[in-house]
Amino acid sequence: MRMESSEEEDDFPCIESVTPQSKIDSIYQSKTEKGIRKICFELLDLKDAVENLCGNTRTKCLAFLRLSEEVVETEHELSELRKHISAQGILVQDLMNGVCRELDEWSRASGDVQEANESSLSSDYGDTFMNDMEDENVLFLENIDVLLAEHKIDEVIEAIDAKERSHPELKSSGDTSSTEPSSFKSALPKRKKMLENQLVEITERPSIGIVELKKALSGLLKLGKGSLAHQLLVKSYRSRLQKSIEAFLPLCPCYPETYSATLSNLVFSTISLTTKESGAMFGDNPVYSNRIIQWAEREIEYFVRLVKEHAPPSDGAPALHAASVCVQASLNHCNALEKQGLKLSKLLLVLLHPYMEEVLELNYIRARKVVLDFSSSDEGKPLSPRFASPLSTFATTSDTLLVESGMRFIYVVKEIVEKLTQLVILHFGANILTRISHLFDKYVDSLIKALPGLSEDDNLTELKEPVPFRAETDSEQLALLGTAFTIAEELLPMVVSRIWNVLNESKEMGSENMMPAANNTVELKDWRRQLQHSLDKLRDNFCRQYVVNFIYSRDGDARLDAQIYLSGVGEDTIWDTDPLPSLPFQALFGKLQQLATVAGDVLLGREKIQKVLLARLTETVVIWLSDEQEFWSVLEDESAPLQPLGLQQLILDMHFTVEIARFAGYPSRHVHQISSDVIARAVRTFSARGIDPQSALPEDEWFTETAKGAINKLLLGGSGSDTSEIDDEHIIMHDEGMSDSDGSPSSLSSADSSESFASAQMGDLDSPVYLSDPES
């Protein structure tokens, strides 16, 4: 019963008989391990197969390499065998030639009987020899054809060279007595022509390298085509240069100021490399050297044309810098090429000179427009304090346009000088300095237009155009003069000092390559003399208009009239025990004193300018008196009532003018000379009317002492009716706008005025200060 029950349980298992998880895991785990193990075995088999395949491949590669080496060795052996066969053929030929000659001699010695037989035998040997030679030549030509077809240039050259060495007669073009068949001699040049064409084709390849080019040219040299090889050398380097330039030209607008240096480097480096290669391959043959020079000159002409075509606008500072960089870089390259025997500097300068002149001229025109355009703003033209401070001192006493124009002038000149390179200064420095001096002269002309009273001058009709500002007052006019003198004497020499330094260094070095041309030299003293001429022109215009306004009233009447020296006319000829100069010369003394006071404030620290200016004013008065024909016509009129008193007054006035200059420390020699001429003419005029100067006039010492006493009296204050008359005259002149100072008639007698008179002390009389005065 129990067994039956167990069987039933097996047929119908209950839930308690389910297989445990551990048993299931063990069963499936064993199957997984078996699968993995099987895969591993398969992978190992695959690895063995791959290794066997790699081994077979490596073995085959090694076998292929060995086979290739054997082929190369076989080719080499074949080449050696050909050479050996050729040598053997030559030996056989020589032997047969010798045998033929011996047989011929033997036949002649044997007699007439055997002559026919021996001759036929020799003919047979000769035919055999000729047939062998023809076979050898045919093989040689076939070999050459094969090598040419395979473009094995080196082997062809070597074979032909060996053939021509063994048979020198092949090199001759004429038909000589040779054993070589004429067909072979005509066929060999054709092969050489084919070889030449292949070499030329190689040199003309666009992507040919330097080594390959030199190899092809060497082949042409071995063929005796030296001229053709040299032409191809130049042509190849020219083509390389052309490609480099064409690749760079689109980039020129990106580098407007330095593109010329890059072009110069491309051109001159190619010329240098071509010259070196030509010398290395062809030696110092003059024919080839001249060809290189001619080619280099053409390339330089092309280079200059490219520089002009791609230059920025010539009237701008970038164009000047680009031209300067071009000259600097190109001349440096030319100096380097001179070591290789190429002297191209003169040609380069001749070609660049018109371009440089054009750039300088247009920049000069631009600078002139900038300087003379008083309406433009200077915000974009900053100046360092070193240049701005000397001019800014005039800003408080003059129109701001004047100071701005001075700063604009210095800025423009400084901008031009900074764009120049050393070699440009060396070769074009004199031209640049001359243009700068002309620019300063134009600037001075614009300042002259600002002076009052010139618009009515008939001799200066070109100055009647409108001007942006007028220097009406004394302080404004002195500031105008001070600005011009400051630019010429202080700022401009500092700006152009770099130019002078380069020129002086070149003179000290004395090198042929560094010395400028004869027409490009300038001396510092000559250049400063040009500036001084412009300053003198400005100063003389100021003095002339100032003196004219002093002498003539607004109505056109002359205050300095000859009537004051006629007896019984006016009250100016009334003398007492202490005579004084005439009222116009007393007024002149006061005007100079007032102007000196203003100059002391405006031209502070510039005493030399003050004294030369006031001295020139004094000279201008005396010069006017000497040249004024209307003045002298009154005195020389026979109806004029001349008296010794008038002559005495005129001479005193002249001595008084001289003493003014001496007292203030002015340069007085010129004043003294002109005053002496005036006195001499006056003496002659009065003597012609019967007045004896010896009896009518006191000694010269009296005039000198009286003039000095008059100066002291006017400075300390006069007494009596004379003083009131002088004061009245001064009041009239002041009211007519002769000076912008606040001085009153009493200023002539004030102690402060004495101290401010050009800061003059009595010691200055012995050592006056001169500033480029013509008489100093």
Side-chain angles (χ1 to χ4, degrees), residues 494-734:
M494 285 194 296
V495 172
V496 301
S497 60
R498 179 166 168 262
I499 297 179
W500 289 115
N501 291 338
V502 173
L503 295 178
N504 292 334
E505 288 176 2
S506 67
K507 290 181 181 179
E508 294 175 359
M509 293 177 62
S511 173
E512 181 180 357
N513 295 330
M514 292 294 294
M515 287 298 292
N519 58 349
N520 282 327
T521 57
V522 64
E523 294 294 335
L524 176 60
K525 60 180 180 180
D526 296 332
W527 183 73
R528 297 199 67 131
R529 189 179 295 115
Q530 295 174 5
L531 299 182
Q532 187 59 47
H533 175 74
S534 299
L535 291 177
D536 292 344
K537 180 172 61 174
L538 175 63
R539 183 195 60 191
D540 292 344
N541 276 275
F542 165 78
C543 293
R544 185 179 62 171
Q545 63 86 20
Y546 197 88
V547 170
V548 167
N549 289 335
F550 166 75
I551 293 176
Y552 292 96
S553 64
R554 291 182 177 179
D555 298 334
D557 298 330
R559 297 188 179 92
L560 185 55
D561 194 350
Q563 297 293 333
I564 62 177
Y565 301 111
L566 298 180
S567 174
V569 181
E571 299 179 354
D572 293 332
T573 56
I574 300 176
W575 286 69
D576 54 16
T577 56
D578 193 8
L580 290 173
S582 58
L583 290 179
F585 285 91
Q586 296 182 42
L588 173 64
F589 180 75
K591 285 294 296 180
L592 292 176
Q593 184 184 16
Q594 294 173 0
L595 189 62
T597 302
V598 178
D601 297 332
V602 177
L603 303 177
L604 183 63
R606 297 174 176 86
E607 286 77 10
K608 294 192 296 184
I609 300 176
Q610 299 178 40
K611 292 190 175 184
V612 170
L613 177 63
L614 295 174
R616 186 60 179 170
L617 279 172
T618 309
E619 292 177 13
T620 306
V621 174
V622 185
I623 291 173
W624 177 90
L625 186 62
S626 175
D627 298 336
E628 183 59 28
Q629 189 58 37
E630 183 178 354
F631 176 87
W632 291 103
S633 63
V634 174
L635 296 179
E636 294 171 353
D637 187 2
E638 294 181 357
S639 62
L642 298 183
Q643 297 294 330
L645 189 61
L647 178 59
Q648 187 174 356
Q649 181 68 56
L650 179 57
I651 295 175
L652 177 60
D653 290 342
M654 292 300 97
H655 279 271
F656 179 72
T657 307
V658 173
E659 293 304 323
I660 289 176
R662 289 180 177 175
F663 170 76
Y666 306 155
S668 59
R669 189 179 65 180
H670 198 202
V671 177
H672 187 277
Q673 179 181 352
I674 300 174
S675 299
S676 299
D677 295 339
V678 172
I679 292 174
R681 183 174 181 179
V683 169
R684 290 194 302 270
T685 301
F686 279 76
S687 298
R689 300 292 298 277
I691 299 175
D692 184 11
Q694 298 296 332
S695 60
L697 299 177
E699 298 294 332
D700 290 341
E701 290 78 6
W702 180 88
F703 288 104
T704 302
E705 295 301 326
T706 303
K708 292 181 179 180
I711 290 177
N712 293 329
K713 181 181 291 187
L714 291 175
L715 289 175
L716 300 176
S719 59
S721 60
D722 291 339
T723 304
S724 62
E725 290 172 359
I726 295 173
D727 292 345
D728 292 338
E729 180 68 15
H730 287 174
I731 292 173
I732 295 173
M733 291 183 175
H734 181 70

Side-chain angles (χ1 to χ4, degrees), residues 205-226:
R205 291 175 184 173
S207 58
I208 185 174
I210 298 296
V211 176
E212 191 176 0
L213 174 65
K214 293 170 65 176
K215 191 175 181 181
L217 296 177
S218 299
L220 288 173
L221 283 175
K222 292 180 180 179
L223 292 177
K225 301 294 181 179

Side-chain angles (χ1 to χ4, degrees), residues 82 136-164 170 184 187-196 198 223:
R82 290 192 187 100
E136 178 188 349
N137 291 334
V138 169
L139 290 175
F140 176 79
L141 293 177
E142 290 178 354
N143 182 39
I144 293 297
D145 291 338
V146 171
L147 294 176
L148 287 173
E150 296 177 353
H151 294 280
K152 295 182 178 179
I153 305 297
D154 295 338
E155 296 182 15
V156 176
I157 294 175
E158 184 178 353
I160 293 177
D161 186 56
K163 188 70 173 178
E164 290 181 341
L170 293 176
F184 179 73
L188 184 61
K190 295 180 180 179
R191 269 64 176 185
K192 293 173 69 175
K193 184 63 177 178
M194 294 174 60
L195 175 60
E196 177 185 332
Q198 287 192 7
L223 292 177

